[in-house]
Amino acid sequence: MSSFRFIHAADLHLGSPFQGLALKDADLAELFVEASRKAFSALVDEAVERKADFFIVAGDVYDGDWKDNKIGLFFNREVARLDRAGIPVFLLKGNHDAESVITRTITLPKNVSEFPTSKPGTFRLEKLKVALHGQGFAERSANENLALAYPRPETGWFNIGVLHTSLTGREPHAPYAPCSVEDLRSRGYDYWALGHVHDFEIVAQDPLVVFPGNLQGRSIRETGAKGAVLVTVEDGRIAYERLITDSARFAELAIAVESDDTPAALLRRVEDALEPLVDVMEGRPLALRVRMTGKSRVRSQLLSKVEDFRDEVQAACHRGHADIWLEKLDLRLEPDDGASQRSSGTLGLDGLLGMEGFPPELLEEAAARIAEIAARLPGGSGAGELPLGDDIDVLLVEARDLLVSRAAEAG
């Protein structure tokens, strides 16, 4: 068997609007939009420099339908670089760029081959004795087990299965093309190039089953380094290494407060906790969510002037490093039992709203109201799973705390 190397990428999500960030900080959102493009350009650089024999994208090249042709032209420009370097590209449509989703087209270079969506197809690289098998998504939702219909392996060749799937389930990712590792193993392939899950994961070693993760983090749910995988095959032996491509990152910082902490003391706690994050950044801008928990005597004071305190926390972040940007200040503080006496009216309101969870009817009403607001947001910034940047229960907690603090001021 010949020796060769290839790049396995997935979930480029080119054109992602970063709507959650856009609602909080338009400049920070634009930084991450640019980062997603830089990540793909950096991966193309790696492919050319390392003389990859071919390049696989296992679904979700795009984030959704294009507003215009700019994102298609960008992708065309980058894969044309691979064409000039003699590197074939094999694309598979995922749920975000299914045939039913992407309505615009740009003619791609001749080095690009796209797996069919109606049934599995096979591409063969005769010189390398490599066969690639895959089926893309015709519709956004693919609930059937696609893997079981993949063809038999080519005898004596290196066989690669390309599939966009959640496997048996990977929270919080939606269950698309569900299947098991045993289903994959039953096809007799040498390597499975998967997509859809945004975290890097070696699912199995025999055969090697890999989620490379996405190239660039897109929200606070996607922290840490992001990239693709370079796979090297020598006489049938497989080795892999991660290629880190992201140019901006997300991170979370948990601050445990003490009851007697003043606002100034809380800011010092933030600054003291920032130092380890510099290593996490690895020279990249960082969108940081700061979560404060615990009982606090100054809870009402902070909540009543939360925007001012947020700006102070941002200033503390910049004192720690010029490229640490506050993605969100998440105050999950509880009233301190020893705090000053509150009025009976405020105590009653706090008790009414201090429930651990919210009833289903309230969640449904909140979802309907959020949908109405999202539909009115400009430029499609309300599109996506989290149009206001957070889960419904998180938004309700914030609204509850603000109401309690305002009542405390009035009472």
Side-chain angles (χ1 to χ4, degrees):
M1 186 176 289
S2 61
S3 298
F4 54 89
R5 59 176 50 183
F6 64 93
I7 283 179
H8 166 201
D11 301 284
L12 314 185
H13 287 280
L14 299 175
S16 177
F18 290 90
Q19 67 270 4
L21 276 183
L23 292 171
K24 300 166 187 172
D25 188 325
D27 292 337
L28 185 58
E30 184 58 34
L31 186 153
F32 273 83
V33 168
E34 183 64 24
S36 64
R37 297 179 184 179
K38 286 182 178 178
F40 187 56
S41 295
L43 187 59
V44 171
D45 289 342
E46 290 275 9
V48 174
E49 290 171 11
R50 294 176 181 250
K51 296 180 171 57
D53 291 285
F54 55 97
F55 194 112
I56 298 171
V57 183
D60 287 354
V61 171
Y62 305 109
D63 193 63
D65 205 8
W66 314 341
K67 292 186 298 183
D68 53 47
N69 285 338
K70 289 180 181 177
I71 197 62
L73 289 169
F74 167 77
F75 183 66
N76 172 78
R77 185 190 75 189
E78 294 303 312
V79 293
R81 292 171 55 203
L82 295 173
D83 187 26
R84 290 190 291 272
I87 301 173
V89 178
F90 299 95
L91 300 183
L92 183 140
K93 290 183 182 293
N95 54 295
H96 277 265
D97 47 21
E99 285 188 344
S100 64
V101 174
I102 302 297
T103 60
R104 294 175 179 266
T105 60
I106 290 289
T107 302
L108 295 173
K110 62 181 182 303
N111 66 321
V112 178
S113 299
E114 191 173 300
F115 290 100
T117 59
S118 59
K119 62 180 181 180
T122 299
F123 295 110
R124 296 172 179 82
L125 295 169
E126 294 284 347
K127 290 183 179 179
L128 301 178
K129 298 299 181 184
V130 171
L132 300 97
H133 316 279
Q135 179 179 348
F137 286 19
E139 302 292 333
R140 177 180 287 275
S141 178
N143 299 317
E144 66 273 22
N145 186 335
L146 300 179
L148 291 179
Y150 276 39
R152 293 177 180 274
E154 297 282 342
T155 304
W157 288 39
F158 189 89
N159 289 267
I160 300 173
V162 185
L163 180 64
H164 199 75
T165 178
S166 58
L167 286 181
T168 53
R170 294 291 192 280
E171 294 293 342
H173 302 285
Y176 290 121
C179 62
S180 67
V181 173
E182 288 70 27
D183 293 333
L184 303 183
R185 190 172 285 131
S186 73
R187 308 322 300 151
Y189 298 166
D190 301 285
Y191 182 92
W192 277 93
L194 304 185
H196 184 55
V197 173
H198 289 184
D199 291 322
F200 169 72
E201 182 182 353
I202 302 299
V203 179
Q205 293 284 353
D206 183 23
L208 193 58
V209 180
V210 178
F211 282 114
N214 53 344
L215 295 188
Q216 171 62 55
R218 298 166 59 236
S219 74
I220 196 63
R221 294 178 175 180
E222 299 175 359
T223 59
K226 298 293 181 178
V229 175
L230 176 69
V231 181
T232 302
V233 180
E234 293 184 355
D235 298 323
R237 295 188 299 273
I238 309 173
Y240 64 88
E241 65 175 289
R242 289 194 74 192
L243 302 176
I244 304 304
T245 61
D246 58 352
S247 60
R249 288 184 183 164
F250 289 89
E252 294 186 88
L253 183 62
I255 303 292
V257 310
E258 297 291 340
S259 173
D260 292 331
D261 281 343
T262 63
L266 293 175
L267 294 176
R268 287 195 295 272
R269 287 188 182 277
V270 171
E271 290 188 59
D272 291 343
L274 288 175
E275 187 174 348
L277 290 178
V278 176
D279 292 335
V280 173
M281 295 168 67
E282 295 184 318
R284 296 161 171 82
L286 191 71
L288 179 65
R289 178 169 295 191
V290 175
R291 177 176 292 114
M292 295 185 176
T293 59
K295 294 184 177 182
S296 171
R297 291 177 183 268
V298 296
R299 174 178 180 269
S300 294
Q301 177 186 342
L302 296 179
L303 291 174
S304 66
K305 298 181 178 179
V306 68
E307 289 302 319
D308 290 341
F309 188 59
R310 183 196 185 282
D311 290 343
E312 287 285 8
V313 174
Q314 174 63 86
C317 289
H318 279 161
R319 288 194 291 273
H321 194 287
D323 274 334
I324 296 180
W325 301 89
L326 186 62
E327 181 265 352
K328 181 180 180 180
L329 174 62
D330 187 4
L331 295 177
R332 301 197 180 185
L333 303 176
E334 303 172 32
D336 181 68
D337 292 335
S340 59
Q341 292 292 320
R342 294 168 292 185
S343 70
S344 59
T346 301
L347 181 60
L349 178 61
D350 212 356
L352 282 172
L353 298 180
M355 60 187 74
E356 288 296 323
F358 297 101
E361 57 269 22
L362 179 59
L363 292 173
E364 290 177 9
E365 176 67 17
R369 296 296 179 88
I370 288 172
E372 291 176 6
I373 295 170
R376 295 186 176 95
L377 293 175
S381 59
E385 298 175 1
L386 301 174
L388 299 188
D390 263 314
D391 294 316
I392 292 174
D393 57 345
V394 174
L395 296 171
L396 286 174
V397 167
E398 292 177 350
R400 178 195 67 190
D401 287 346
L402 182 60
L403 181 58
V404 169
S405 68
R406 294 282 171 83
E409 283 186 316

